[in-house]
Amino acid sequence: MVNRGLQAFSGKRVLLLQGPVGPFFARLARDLRSVHAQVFKVNLNAGDWFFYPRGAFNYCGTMEDWPAWIAGLMNRLQIEVVLLFGDCRPVHHAALEVARQNELEIGVFEEGYVRPDYVTLERFGVNANSQLPRCPEYYQEEHLQIPVRRAVGNTYWAMAWYAFWYFLAGSLGKLWFRHYQHHRPLTLLEILPWTRSVWRKYWYRWAERGVQQELTTDWKDRYFLVPLQVFNDGQIIRHADFNGIEHFIETTLNSFARHAPKKTLLVFKHHPMDRGYRDYSSFIRCRAEQAKIGKRVLYIHDQHLPALLSHARGVVVVNSSVGFSALNYGKPTIACGSALYDIPGLTYQGGLDAFWKVAHKVKPDMDLCQRFRICIIATTQLNGSFYKPLKLPGSFSGLVWSSPAEPGMQDTGPAHPARSAAFPAA
């Protein structure tokens, strides 16, 4: 979907729904207008309005009336393309149904499949909703070109700053958008978990000093890493057979207790974006003691993820993008939910109970992994960040909208004809 870059939107009538927190969609609109697209925007809360205050439609109705309203707006404006961030948000789920019924083109932004330095833009859906094939033969035949990557740098504080203003505006503006239901509490109280997150970051850095060194030396190749996802991640809710993170933790821990080799360790790593919202210390400790493996279970927070991946015996995820990173490190990986990269030859295709014993024998096919990675970058990734734009001439969004015909490309073979257009004809 990304091969033709901005020119794919030339002359199109584009509707923007909710974007990532911050001014990215306002910047994107300027990029789109530079190629003569007609851009329209819908704000659903005061946080949306704060970052896109002019030239937008402000929806203040109920969630029950939203599908009919957005259908009428798309029809009245003769919309051809719908762009949004995250296809699992309730408001987007309803809008996507309307767009599909009207056979409109859909582009979904998401955090990058390949990190750092990339964001995702994919046609129709992302992650488990991706249209990319799940058969390894497809990637064995692909020969694509990918751009030279530009480093973005640290984006955390920019994202935190935009999130502060988004939630502040969203809270203060509830009087005007009183029917809106966000996927997280849209109140001033959100400053509490963000403040708690900063405090915990420094606390864990001190309290867990030396843990990474011990894991990567004394426990090298003898621990299984389980990166946790954000507690309200839509991928957990919609694309996995778990009731939540606690259910996943308990299932994984009990399976490890019954089937893992005795001299191995189970390491749960907290998600950094969930640091201020959840703490599973007591839950994990209680379940580990009940399973009589208290000394074989570790719960950590802010260690260097690449180092942990490179020394792990195996990796267990639901459908986190960390699973894709683990594959690129050549680590045996099992996806317990529906994941884009859950493909024979990449991830373990058996059950979790068996994985512990055979992990050392089921490493991913690195040739297939590299081909898959190239395909992912060439067809779904844009170099840049939502929160810290690259300084590029002619780009307001700060994304690299290069096409394979432009200079600065890393040649990995002839482009596949099926990938020649960002928006093929419906």
Side-chain angles (χ1 to χ4, degrees):
M1 186 176 181
V2 302
N3 299 84
R4 283 181 57 207
L6 278 174
Q7 292 304 318
F9 305 98
S10 178
K12 300 286 186 179
R13 299 176 68 84
V14 181
L15 178 65
L16 305 179
L17 297 182
Q18 280 191 322
V21 294
F24 173 73
F25 262 21
R27 294 168 177 163
L28 173 65
R30 296 182 69 182
D31 273 355
L32 294 171
R33 293 188 184 107
S34 72
V35 294
H36 309 293
Q38 291 183 267
V39 184
F40 307 91
K41 174 73 167 68
V42 174
N43 294 328
L44 290 112
N45 62 60
D48 294 342
W49 172 86
F50 182 82
F51 287 108
Y52 205 117
R54 294 184 296 274
F57 297 91
N58 298 313
Y59 180 72
C60 302
T62 66
M63 293 299 100
E64 289 74 20
D65 293 338
W66 164 248
W69 185 89
I70 193 63
L73 183 70
M74 290 179 184
N75 182 62
R76 187 168 73 254
L77 299 178
Q78 297 181 311
I79 295 300
E80 298 171 272
V81 181
V82 178
L83 298 178
L84 50 91
F85 176 79
D87 58 4
C88 286
R89 294 184 180 186
V91 291
H92 286 167
H93 187 69
L96 286 171
E97 288 300 315
V98 173
R100 292 187 186 106
Q101 290 171 9
N102 288 279
E103 299 183 342
L104 305 183
E105 291 291 355
I106 299 166
V108 181
F109 286 96
E110 186 59 276
E111 303 292 352
Y113 294 148
V114 181
R115 302 183 193 181
D117 304 327
Y118 288 102
V119 301
T120 298
L121 173 58
E122 194 166 2
R123 193 182 185 207
F124 296 132
V126 294
N127 297 310
N129 290 329
S130 171
Q131 301 294 300
L132 288 172
R134 304 301 199 270
C135 57
E137 294 79 14
Y138 176 84
Y139 301 98
Q140 295 289 4
E141 298 175 357
E142 282 282 20
H143 297 283
L144 296 167
Q145 298 171 321
I146 60 174
V148 176
R149 182 175 67 182
R150 295 167 173 84
V152 174
N154 189 306
T155 63
Y156 175 80
W157 292 110
M159 179 190 64
W161 180 245
Y162 290 143
F164 168 77
W165 285 107
Y166 185 88
F167 281 91
L168 177 64
S171 175
L172 297 177
K174 276 193 171 182
L175 178 64
W176 290 274
F177 297 89
R178 61 184 183 275
H179 299 295
Y180 175 72
Q181 298 172 11
H182 201 57
H183 54 284
R184 273 187 171 171
L186 199 62
T187 72
L188 285 174
L189 295 177
E190 279 295 288
I191 196 173
L192 297 178
W194 280 85
T195 303
R196 188 188 303 129
S197 178
V198 174
W199 179 86
R200 284 178 173 174
K201 179 179 178 66
Y202 291 101
W203 162 251
Y204 290 133
R205 180 180 296 177
W206 180 85
E208 297 176 357
R209 63 195 185 282
V211 170
Q212 180 172 304
Q213 177 68 17
E214 184 179 354
L215 286 173
T216 57
T217 54
D218 298 346
W219 287 96
K220 180 179 179 180
D221 297 328
R222 292 197 295 131
Y223 66 88
F224 290 92
L225 183 64
V226 186
L228 301 178
Q229 292 171 236
V230 176
F231 77 96
N232 62 350
D233 190 336
Q235 300 303 311
I236 293 283
I237 297 169
R238 294 184 179 273
H239 301 302
D241 294 327
F242 296 104
N243 298 327
I245 298 297
E246 290 90 345
H247 185 198
F248 170 61
I249 291 173
E250 187 170 19
T251 300
T252 303
L253 193 149
N254 289 336
S255 176
F256 178 85
R258 291 192 302 266
H259 302 284
K262 298 298 182 184
K263 294 184 179 181
T264 57
L265 191 70
L266 183 64
V267 181
F268 290 101
K269 186 185 183 300
H270 200 83
H271 195 290
M273 295 305 298
D274 217 14
R275 191 190 300 115
Y277 292 88
R278 291 290 187 273
D279 181 357
Y280 301 111
S281 301
S282 298
F283 181 81
I284 291 175
R285 182 171 58 253
C286 179
R287 294 299 184 272
E289 290 174 354
Q290 289 176 357
K292 299 181 180 180
I293 55 168
K295 295 182 178 181
R296 295 175 57 205
V297 178
L298 191 61
Y299 177 46
I300 61 176
H301 294 78
D302 283 292
Q303 285 68 25
H304 188 233
L305 183 59
L308 295 176
L309 289 173
S310 63
H311 293 88
R313 186 186 186 97
V315 179
V316 180
V317 297
V318 180
N319 41 33
S320 168
S321 61
V322 177
F324 186 35
S325 297
L327 294 173
N328 283 288
Y329 277 91
K331 292 300 171 178
T333 303
I334 182 170
C336 299
S338 180
L340 170 70
Y341 50 81
D342 192 12
I343 296 171
L346 294 183
T347 56
Y348 178 62
Q349 299 295 298
L352 182 60
D353 290 349
F355 177 71
W356 314 108
K357 295 179 181 178
V358 302
H360 62 290
K361 301 178 182 178
V362 291
K363 293 185 178 182
D365 179 336
M366 294 310 295
D367 178 68
L368 174 61
C369 188
Q370 178 66 5
R371 290 175 178 272
F372 179 73
R373 185 177 185 276
I374 290 172
C375 183
I376 288 292
I377 294 174
T379 61
T380 71
Q381 303 297 284
L382 291 170
N383 187 194
S385 167
F386 298 128
Y387 314 107
K388 185 180 177 182
L390 292 170
K391 295 180 180 179
L392 304 167
S395 174
F396 299 102
S397 66
L399 297 181
V400 180
W401 293 97
S402 301
S403 72
E406 295 176 350
M409 305 299 294
Q410 179 181 356
D411 190 356
T412 60
H416 195 287
R419 296 287 181 248
S420 61
F423 286 98

